[in-house]
């Protein structure tokens, strides 16, 4: 616990990695979810273009992941991490400067590339420097994604009442700057030491293939809720509920990786992965079965407590299997799934975001005194 790497304590290292993940993923990538309904109502963003912009970000994420596979040195480069953080912040700040869908597409594509690069660098650094240390520290570091989601959710909730969609993007860029400054000195993964005389451990290919396929399918399923959750809830509840649900996602996600790390001391990771996937499926399906604000918030909690945990469990299993470039390969498979997710539901978006993940969500919430206004897409 007390071992110091390059003058940085494990705790400080976890904090720096958490800040990098908060900036790149929690804000740079996922802030689009709570801002999406604002762009829909204020900037004239159509449902189909909203899905396309989501796909652009996930395509960029795949490109960044492939860069990590083809050029392994990028996951150990401080210059790449810092440049990616700066580029990511710039894409956030530039979003409100235009109403051109093609420019939005390009900005979200570049943001996806930068997010993937910072994610791989930060996660690789966590595994490298906290290996043999407390699993909880690595869990809290990974939880930086959830912290970024919660902070950006609070930010957008406030902006809903005092500003516009443009203000939301600019404020998000400012928040990302704060996180980037905190992450700037992150100690990266050291270069591997080549020992030709050391015996080689056979690579467990079958186990990694099953893990890869599972994570790919998770990418398809989770991203639908991760992209359209707020916009879908906004159609069947007061406007604060959507942003409130996203804050719940972040608050649940922040400690979730540490929780799953603690559970891994008692149960095997494959067992925990199955449990987490089942819990997530129940959470996503809940609003389709039971209407109202309460089930929507419970759904957000179950989604938040599992989606990061699933990622941390999968990457930990990949590291345990010692498969070459496991983080980059798993991230790439996950990215392909995330690209397919919005494309799969795009045909369902003719009547708005509600049908993306909850086609049977009632148009009248039991907690509302009257039906949804005519601006909604309920038929």
């Amino acid at each position: 616990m007390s071992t110091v790497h390059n003058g940085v304590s494990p705790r400080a290292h976890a904090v720096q990695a958490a800040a990098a993940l908060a900036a790149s993923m929690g804000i740079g990538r996922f802030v689009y979810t709570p801002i999406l309904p604002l762009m829909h109502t204020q900037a004239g963003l159509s449902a189909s273009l909203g899905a396309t912009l989501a796909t652009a970000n996930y395509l960029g994420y795949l490109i960044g992941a492939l860069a990590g596979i083809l050029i392994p040195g990028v996951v150990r480069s401080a210059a790449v991490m810092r440049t990616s953080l700066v580029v990511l912040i710039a894409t956030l700040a530039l979003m409100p400067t235009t109403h051109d869908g093609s420019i939005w597409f390009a900005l979200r594509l570049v943001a996806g590339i930068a997010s993937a690069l910072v994610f791989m660098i930060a996660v690789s650094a966590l595994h490298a420097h906290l290996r043999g240390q407390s699993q909880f520290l690595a869990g809290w570091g990974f939880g930086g994604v959830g912290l970024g989601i919660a902070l950006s959710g609070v930010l957008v909730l406030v902006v809903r009442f005092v500003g516009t969609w443009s203000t939301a993007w600019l404020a998000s860029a400012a928040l990302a700057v704060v996180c980037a400054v905190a992450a700037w000195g992150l100690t990266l993964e050291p270069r591997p030491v080549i020992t030709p005389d050391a015996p080689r451990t056979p690579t467990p290919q079958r186990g990694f293939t099953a893990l890869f396929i599972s994570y790919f399918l998770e990418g398809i399923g989770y991203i639908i809720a991760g992209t359209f959750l707020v916009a879908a809830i906004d159609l069947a509840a007061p406007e604060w509920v959507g942003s409130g649900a996203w804050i719940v996602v972040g608050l649940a996600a922040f400690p979730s990786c540490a929780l799953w790390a603690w559970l891994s001391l008692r149960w095997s990771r494959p067992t925990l992965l199955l449990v987490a996937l089942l819990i997530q499926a129940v959470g996503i399906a809940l609003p389709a079965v039971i209407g109202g604000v309460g089930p929507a918030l419970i759904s957000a909690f179950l989604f938040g407590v599992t989606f990061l945990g699933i990622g941390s469990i999968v990457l930990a299993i990949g590291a345990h299997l010692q498969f070459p470039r496991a983080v980059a390969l798993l991230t790439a498979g996950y990215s392909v799934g995330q690209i397919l997710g919005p494309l799969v539901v795009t045909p369902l978006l003719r009547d708005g975001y509600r049908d993306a993940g909850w086609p049977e969500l009632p148009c009248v919430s039991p907690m509302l005194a009257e039906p949804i206004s005519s601006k909604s897409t309920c038929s």
Side-chain angles (χ1 to χ4, degrees), residues 261-303:
W262 176 76
L263 291 174
S264 70
L265 299 176
R266 297 170 175 266
W267 293 281
S268 70
R269 288 194 181 101
T271 299
L272 290 176
L273 180 59
L274 175 61
V275 171
L277 289 169
L278 290 174
I279 292 174
Q280 185 180 96
V282 170
I284 292 176
L286 185 61
V289 179
I290 307 174
V293 174
L297 295 180
I298 293 173
S299 173
F301 174 81
L302 295 178
F303 178 74

Side-chain angles (χ1 to χ4, degrees), residues 135 138-140 142-143 252-262 305 308-309 312:
Q135 295 185 56
W140 284 111
F142 207 97
F254 178 44
S256 66
C257 296
L259 170 64
W260 291 105
W262 176 76
V305 84
L308 267 189
S312 65

Side-chain angles (χ1 to χ4, degrees), residues 61-72 74-75 116 119-121 123-124 127 203-205 207-217 219 311 314-315 317-319 321-338:
Y61 195 76
L62 173 61
I63 294 171
L66 291 176
I69 296 172
L70 300 175
I71 315 172
V74 302
V75 301
F119 175 81
M120 289 186 296
I121 291 169
V123 171
S124 296
H127 284 304
T203 301
Q205 173 132 17
F208 184 82
T209 300
L211 184 68
F212 181 88
I213 294 173
S214 175
Y215 204 39
F216 160 74
L217 295 174
V314 167
L315 295 179
I317 294 174
L321 293 175
Q322 297 183 343
F323 196 90
R325 304 177 190 173
V327 172
L329 285 168
L330 289 168
T331 302
Y334 198 52
S335 303
V336 173
Q338 290 174 128

